[in-house]
Amino acid sequence: MNADPIGVLTGSHYLDGDHSCSEGAIAAGCRFSAGYPITPSTEVVERLASRFPRVGGRFQQFEDELAASIAVLGAVWGGAKAVTVTSGPGFSLMMEHIGLAAITECPVVYINVQRGGPSTGLPTQPAQGDMMQARFGSHGDYRLIALCPNSPQECFDLTLRAFNLAEEYRVPVVVMLDEVVGHMTEKVVIPPADQIEVTPRRYTSKKPGDFKLFEAAEGSLVPEMVKAGDGYRVHVTGLTHDERGYPAMNVVAQDKMVKRQFAKIVENADKIITFEEKNLLGAEAVVVSFGITSRIAEKGMQLAREKGAKVGSFRLITAWPFPEKQIIELSKKVKAFVVPELNMGQMSLEVERLAAGRCRTIPVLHAGGTVHNPEVIAEAILEAVR
Amino acid sequence: MGPTEIKIGGLGGQGVILAGIIIGKAAALYDNKHSALTQAFGPEARGSACSAQVVVDEDPILYPYVQKPHLMVSMSQDAFVKFAPELREDGTLLIEEELVKPQGLPKGVKVFAVPATRIAEELGKKMVLNIVMVGFFTAISGVVSEEAARKAVTDTVPPSTIDLNIKAFERGFAHGKKLLAKA
Amino acid sequence: MSELRENPVNEYLRLDRLPSIWCPGCGIGTTVNCFTRALTESKLDLDKVAIVSGIGCTGRVAGYMNLDSFHTTHGRAIPFATGLKLANPDLKVVVYSGDGDLSAIGGNHLVHAARRNADLLVVCVNNFTYGMTGGQVTPTTPISAVASTTPYGAYEETFNLPNLMDACGAVYVARWTAFHVRQIAKSMGEGLKKKGFRFIEIIAPCPTLYLRRNKLGDGLDEMKYYKEKSVVKNGADTREVGLDYHDKIVVGKFVDRERPTLEEAMDKRFTDVLGAKYVPYTSPGKQPLA
C-alpha cells in the first residue's frame, strides 16, 4: 500500500541523517516512538517529538533505554508501528529487548547511531564498532536484519525499508548509522506519498481459535500477526514457546522455534540483501565497505586508480544478513578484498571467512573518532593489487 | 574543479550553524550542486568558538569534512585565532571587520571585511549579523548564486523574519559587490 | 440433586495450561481468584483487557489468564504496558508481578510510571522474596528475615511500597493480605474502574522459601498470622504503614484521588499549544476479519 500522505514531507530538503531517519519512520507509518536522550542519536526522537503531535503519533520519553526499548514492543502489540533510537551505551542496554523482539517475532525498528566506544567512549565522534553487537549482542541464537545508510538520503530510504522488512518478516530491524552520517546535512528528496510503498502489518484473516500466533503462514516461514484487543487472547512470552505462544521448555520446542526463526531470515536472504557494486569488471581488488566509510573509500579508490590500480567497490547496504554468496563469488575473481572500517576488525572478519583463502583480505582498521584518511585506503588498495 | 571547502567560524549563539545551513542548502537545493554540512560537536558551551563546515561540489561529495578551507568566514576573534591556521595559502578570508583583527595569516590569503554588526544594528536587529555575512559571502565567493542564496534564506529563517533577513542578506551582498568592484 | 456447574473462574483461565507452577500454599493463586471475581463484577469486555507480567512466580500470572497476555522481561512489565496502552488506548491494561520484579529490577519504571500517572492497574504480589530463583532477599524482605542471600538475616531498610507509590503520585493505593480475599476483589474492582496509576500490594505467603526458611510454618499458619496481625486502616497515612518482621500489617485503601493521566496530560498540552494543528492519536481500532 501507499504511505499515508499526512506524514509525508514530499519535496527536497536539507536534512541531517538523524532527522532524515525521523521522516523515513513517519513516511513508513510509524506512529509511536519511545526514547531516552543520548548523543549522537537524540535528534531523531527530538524531531519525532515535534512532528508526531501534528501527524497523529505519540512519542514518550522514558526513564532509561531499557524502558524505551520495551515500550516500543508494547506499542507494536497494541497495533502501532514503533521505533526507538539510541547510541553507544544505550544500544548495550537495549540488547535484552532486541532478544525479546526476536523471540516474540515482533516487527519493530531500532536505530543505532554509532559513536566511539567501548563504554562512554567518544559520545560526539564516529565509529562503526557495534556491527557485531547488532548481530550477536543479545544472548542466545537469533537472526535479525541490519541496514547501513551512507547518506542522509539513505537514512530516509533505509528507515522506511526497515519498517517494511520488519513487517514482512516479523523481525526486529536495526538501522546502523554512524555519527558522521547521523550528523551530516545533505539534500534529501522525499517522494510523494503515492510513490512510497509501505508494507502494512500482516494481520491474520483467521478467526480466534483457528489462529496460532507463532505458526508460519501457509507457504511462508513467517507467522501472521494480531494485536491486543481483537479477541484473539494471545499469549506472548520471552520463554521458548510453541505455536500457540505457550511456554514449552523442552528440546523439541526450542529446536523448532529457533530453527524457523533462523530460516525465515536465512532462506529469504536473497530478497532481503541489498548492496551497491561499482567498477567490478576487471577489478583486481574489491573494496568492501559500508556507512560513511564507503564514501571515504570511494575517494581512496579514485586516488588508487590514478596510480593505475584496477579496483572495484562492493558496498554493504544490508549488513545482516551478510551477502555471503556475492563475497564468495567475488573472492574467486580478485586478488584481494580491502575492508576499511571504523573499528578494529568486524565486517572484515566476515569477508575473510567467506574468502576462505581464495584471495587475500586486507582490513584497513581505524579505532574511530573521525573517518579514515583516503590516502591510507588508497595505499591498501595499491598493496592489494601488487 | 573539485570540491570547495568552506568553514564558518564564530561564537556559539551568533548563528554560525544557520549560516552554514543556508549556504549548503543554496548549493544543494537551488543551484543543483552537491553540498554536505558538518559541525564540530563538542562539549563547548554557548559563547565559545564554534564552526560549521560546508563542502560544495559539482559531483557527489565523498569526503564530508573540511580539511584545508578555500573559504573561511570569521565572525569572532576567537574563531579567527582557532581556525585561520587551517586556511589554504591562496584562500579567502571573510571577516566581520569590527570583531576580527586578522594577523599572521597564511601567505596569499585574500581578506574581505564587512561591518556586519553595524549593518545588522542599522536594520534594528543585531541577530541578523549572520545573514549579512551570508550575503557578503555570496557576493565575494560566487560559490552559490544570489538567487539560490536568497531562496535558502527565505525558507530557512522563521517566516515572520523573512523581510528583515532578506534586507540583511541584500546589505551584505551589496557590500561585497562594492568591494569587488573596487578591487 | 444439584447440577454440576463449571467453576466460575474457568472462563478466565487458560485451562490447557494448568496445573500452574505455583507451590501448595502459595498466595499467588488466591490473588488470581480475586482478580477473576473483580473482572466478572467489572463487566468489562474481556477482549479489551490486557495483562502484562515481568519475570518470577507472580510473573507467570499473565500466562494463565485467558486474556491478551504478555510475559515480558525481568522488571520491564510497566514500560511494556505503558507502550501498549499509549498505542491502543481502548485497552484496559493490568500489570501483575512480584515485589522483586516491580520494586527491585523494575524500581525505576515503577516510580516513573506512578509519577507520570500512566493509565495502568499494577498488582504487586509481595511475598518478601524471589521465589523463582530460590528465595533471595528483595527490597521488601523485612530486617532479620532469612533469605538465601542473607543467610544471617536481612539488614537493609525495606521499601514501604504504599508510601513509595503515594509519594510518587499514584492515584489509588491499597494493601491487603492473601487472607482478605473479598477486600482484594473489591480493590481490584475499584482499580479496574479508575483511570491513572493504581497500585495494589498484596502480602502473600511463599511457603516453600520464605516461610520455611524463617520457620514460620506453612501457608495456613501464615493465613492465621494475617488474620490476627492485620489492622484495617482505610485512609491511613502511608508513612505509617511500613512492615516489620512478622509484626502488625496495616491494610486498607490508603489513597484514592484524581489526577490527569499521562494521556490526558499529553492531549491537554498539545491542544493548548498546537490548537487546530494538533492531530490526536487515533486508536488502531479492531482489525476487521477478512
Side-chain angles (χ1 to χ4, degrees):
Chain A
M1 64 187 252
N2 292 329
D4 180 349
I6 188 178
V8 180
L9 281 189
T10 300
S12 296
H13 306 270
Y14 201 54
L15 285 182
D16 73 18
D18 281 359
H19 286 168
S20 189
C21 284
S22 319
E23 293 306 325
I26 292 170
C30 172
R31 292 294 181 270
F32 184 86
S33 175
Y36 185 81
I38 192 160
T39 304
S41 65
T42 314
E43 289 90 337
V44 183
V45 290
E46 284 173 343
R47 191 174 178 103
L48 290 175
S50 160
R51 292 263 285 132
F52 266 173
R54 298 156 182 268
V55 303
R58 277 183 167 168
F59 167 72
Q60 179 65 41
Q61 183 171 315
F62 277 87
E63 49 277 6
D64 57 29
E65 286 91 347
L66 292 158
S69 60
I70 196 168
V72 289
L73 305 186
V76 168
W77 287 106
K81 289 189 178 180
V83 67
T84 187
V85 186
T86 195
S87 296
F91 197 50
S92 293
L93 288 177
M94 289 188 179
M95 283 301 133
E96 182 173 15
H97 295 137
I98 288 181
L100 182 65
I103 199 171
T104 57
E105 303 185 59
C106 184
V108 65
V109 175
Y110 291 90
I111 297 174
N112 176 25
V113 187
Q114 295 172 88
R115 64 190 224 185
S119 192
T120 312
L122 298 168
T124 61
Q125 289 156 264
Q128 297 175 314
D130 310 345
M131 300 307 295
M132 284 297 178
Q133 185 185 24
R135 184 183 194 181
F136 288 126
S138 196
H139 56 276
D141 264 338
Y142 61 96
R143 280 289 179 265
L144 50 60
I145 298 172
L147 309 172
C148 301
N150 79 347
S151 66
Q153 178 68 54
E154 263 194 4
C155 287
F156 177 88
D157 299 342
L158 294 186
T159 303
L160 171 68
R161 180 151 192 265
F163 277 93
N164 289 349
L165 287 167
E167 298 298 341
E168 181 82 34
Y169 297 104
R170 261 189 76 174
V171 70
V173 180
V174 189
V175 186
M176 299 289 288
L177 280 66
D178 50 69
E179 186 274 340
V180 187
V181 168
H183 274 166
M184 75 190 281
T185 305
E186 285 187 324
K187 181 177 176 176
V188 174
V189 179
I190 300 180
D194 62 10
Q195 288 169 30
I196 296 175
E197 192 57 32
V198 164
T199 307
R201 185 146 304 159
R202 313 229 154 181
Y203 286 119
T204 188
S205 56
K206 289 184 178 167
K207 292 191 176 62
D210 299 340
F211 175 69
K212 288 185 186 148
L213 188 54
F214 297 93
E215 180 181 56
E218 224 176 283
S220 163
L221 289 160
V222 186
E224 294 172 325
M225 270 296 270
V226 297
K227 63 179 186 296
D230 284 2
Y232 288 86
R233 311 276 185 99
V234 293
H235 185 54
V236 176
T237 176
L239 288 167
T240 294
H241 44 265
D242 62 19
E243 289 173 339
R244 294 169 300 178
Y246 288 6
M249 281 156 287
N250 59 67
V251 178
V252 176
Q254 170 77 358
D255 185 75
K256 194 169 179 194
M257 183 192 76
V258 170
K259 285 186 177 164
R260 183 183 55 74
Q261 291 182 355
F262 256 66
K264 72 178 179 181
I265 301 303
V266 173
E267 292 184 23
N268 289 305
D270 287 345
K271 285 185 261 175
I272 297 167
I273 291 168
T274 50
F275 48 83
E276 185 184 74
E277 296 174 322
K278 278 187 197 165
N279 306 307
L280 289 182
L281 202 66
E284 293 182 326
V286 170
V287 177
V288 180
S289 59
F290 58 97
I292 190 59
T293 308
S294 66
R295 295 170 61 154
I296 312 304
E298 187 77 34
K299 185 92 194 161
M301 284 181 261
Q302 286 177 359
L303 297 173
R305 277 186 206 112
E306 284 165 15
K307 295 187 179 166
K310 288 180 183 160
V311 59
S313 164
F314 187 91
R315 174 164 77 93
L316 306 171
I317 298 175
T318 319
W320 310 117
F322 196 80
E324 300 188 347
K325 279 187 208 165
Q326 290 76 11
I327 295 294
I328 290 171
E329 280 314 303
L330 283 172
S331 72
K332 296 172 185 166
K333 297 174 189 157
V334 302
K335 285 186 187 167
F337 288 116
V338 174
V339 191
E341 48 185 339
L342 292 176
N343 59 51
M344 296 311 287
Q346 297 194 12
M347 302 310 269
S348 55
L349 296 177
E350 197 67 357
V351 173
E352 191 170 23
R353 176 179 75 82
L354 294 159
R358 282 181 293 270
C359 71
R360 288 167 72 198
T361 299
I362 304 174
V364 187
L365 307 179
H366 187 306
T370 184
V371 296
H372 286 77
N373 178 348
E375 309 264 358
V376 172
I377 300 174
E379 278 164 29
I381 295 167
L382 292 169
E383 151 79 17
V385 296
R386 219 183 320 261
Chain B
M1 163 83 191
T4 303
E5 299 186 1
I6 304 155
K7 186 156 192 160
I8 303 159
L11 298 178
Q14 272 186 322
V16 169
I17 306 300
L18 194 76
I21 287 174
I22 291 170
I23 292 166
K25 189 188 262 188
L29 300 193
Y30 305 117
D31 273 341
N32 219 15
K33 292 182 182 177
H34 295 269
S35 84
L37 168 97
T38 54
Q39 327 169 23
F41 280 85
E44 291 95 348
R46 205 175 168 81
S48 61
C50 69
S51 72
Q53 311 173 43
V54 186
V55 181
V56 177
D57 200 344
E58 302 289 337
D59 299 315
I61 289 152
L62 301 175
Y63 195 88
Y65 289 141
V66 166
Q67 292 172 303
K68 291 292 273 176
H70 301 85
L71 289 152
M72 183 171 288
V73 178
S74 289
M75 300 196 230
S76 80
Q77 188 67 22
D78 275 1
F80 169 79
V81 170
K82 191 169 170 189
F83 304 125
E86 300 169 14
L87 251 175
R88 279 177 198 247
E89 288 205 344
D90 56 350
T92 302
L93 175 70
L94 288 76
I95 57 170
E96 202 302 329
E97 69 180 34
E98 286 159 28
L99 300 177
V100 180
K101 303 290 168 216
Q103 44 196 261
L105 280 168
K107 263 184 282 172
V109 168
K110 294 182 285 292
V111 182
F112 296 88
V114 58
T117 308
R118 209 183 65 223
I119 292 173
E121 279 167 354
E122 282 169 22
L123 291 169
K125 204 116 194 165
K126 208 179 151 189
M127 260 177 59
V128 296
L129 176 153
N130 61 337
I131 307 297
V132 178
M133 294 304 292
V134 169
F136 186 59
F137 172 89
T138 305
I140 301 282
S141 73
V143 171
V144 294
S145 69
E146 183 193 353
E147 192 54 32
R150 245 175 214 283
K151 282 187 191 160
V153 170
T154 305
D155 79 2
T156 306
V157 301
S160 62
T161 67
I162 290 173
D163 286 351
L164 172 68
N165 279 293
I166 287 293
K167 273 186 203 137
F169 174 84
E170 284 170 349
R171 290 286 302 273
F173 187 82
H175 188 85
K177 283 290 176 199
K178 203 169 72 191
L179 290 190
L180 285 181
K182 269 192 215 157
Chain C
M1 200 176 86
S2 68
E3 203 181 331
L4 193 65
R5 289 202 0 236
E6 200 188 359
N7 186 333
V9 169
N10 286 1
E11 66 168 301
Y12 298 96
L13 301 178
R14 298 183 193 275
L15 295 174
D16 50 358
R17 288 219 53 218
L18 298 179
S20 77
I21 61 155
W22 299 316
C23 306
C26 169
I28 299 169
T30 310
T31 72
V32 171
N33 209 336
C34 299
F35 184 52
T36 62
R37 202 170 328 153
L39 283 172
T40 309
E41 281 163 21
S42 73
K43 306 216 163 46
L44 288 166
D45 174 0
L46 296 187
D47 284 349
K48 294 290 178 193
V49 180
I51 184 164
V52 185
S53 288
I55 297 295
C57 290
T58 314
R60 292 301 185 89
V61 169
Y64 297 124
M65 297 301 300
N66 187 19
L67 301 168
D68 282 318
S69 54
F70 301 92
H71 180 220
T72 62
T73 52
H74 199 12
R76 321 296 167 205
I78 285 178
F80 181 100
T82 306
L84 179 64
K85 174 68 187 176
L86 287 174
N88 198 331
D90 302 341
L91 298 174
K92 188 68 83 172
V93 181
V94 181
V95 170
Y96 216 118
S97 225
D99 49 310
D101 184 75
L102 286 167
S103 77
I105 187 168
N108 197 21
H109 312 309
L110 182 70
V111 298
H112 286 284
R115 172 184 64 77
R116 60 171 70 102
N117 206 18
D119 193 8
L120 306 172
L121 168 60
V122 177
V123 176
C124 175
V125 177
N126 180 4
N127 57 11
F128 307 113
T129 198
Y130 288 94
M132 185 75 82
T133 48
Q136 294 78 21
V137 68
T138 78
T140 60
T141 310
I143 289 177
S144 82
V146 172
S148 69
T149 46
T150 51
Y152 309 109
Y155 41 80
E156 290 175 21
E157 197 53 60
T158 60
F159 265 151
N160 167 353
L161 290 175
N163 184 229
L164 177 68
M165 293 292 86
D166 183 8
C168 292
V171 293
Y172 184 97
V173 180
R175 174 199 279 154
W176 301 104
T177 75
F179 171 75
H180 298 90
V181 288
R182 280 189 319 112
Q183 292 90 333
I184 295 172
K186 182 164 179 261
S187 260
M188 286 175 163
E190 289 174 0
L192 283 169
K193 249 189 225 128
K194 205 173 164 70
K195 283 191 299 184
F197 191 86
R198 300 90 81 194
F199 184 83
I200 302 173
E201 178 186 22
I202 305 169
I203 309 295
C206 171
T208 308
L209 296 160
Y210 183 75
L211 299 186
R212 191 171 53 90
R213 198 165 272 141
N214 286 288
K215 301 187 172 56
L216 291 170
D218 58 17
L220 195 62
D221 294 317
E222 190 72 350
M223 286 296 169
K224 283 181 199 150
Y225 152 62
Y226 293 161
K227 186 180 173 203
E228 283 160 19
K229 291 280 192 142
S230 47
V231 186
V232 180
K233 272 193 193 167
N234 288 318
D237 184 333
T238 57
R239 285 172 299 183
E240 276 147 32
V241 303
L243 300 173
D244 290 322
Y245 179 67
H246 214 59
D247 200 356
K248 158 182 100 161
I249 304 172
V250 180
V251 295
K253 177 167 77 177
F254 305 136
V255 176
D256 192 350
R257 61 190 164 202
E258 302 300 323
R259 205 155 72 82
T261 65
L262 173 60
E263 286 166 71
E264 287 165 352
M266 210 181 245
D267 274 338
K268 178 167 188 322
R269 189 78 207 162
F270 296 148
T271 307
D272 288 354
V273 177
L274 295 174
K277 286 186 195 139
Y278 176 41
V279 180
Y281 184 84
T282 42
S283 166
K286 191 162 173 158
Q287 184 67 21
L289 283 175

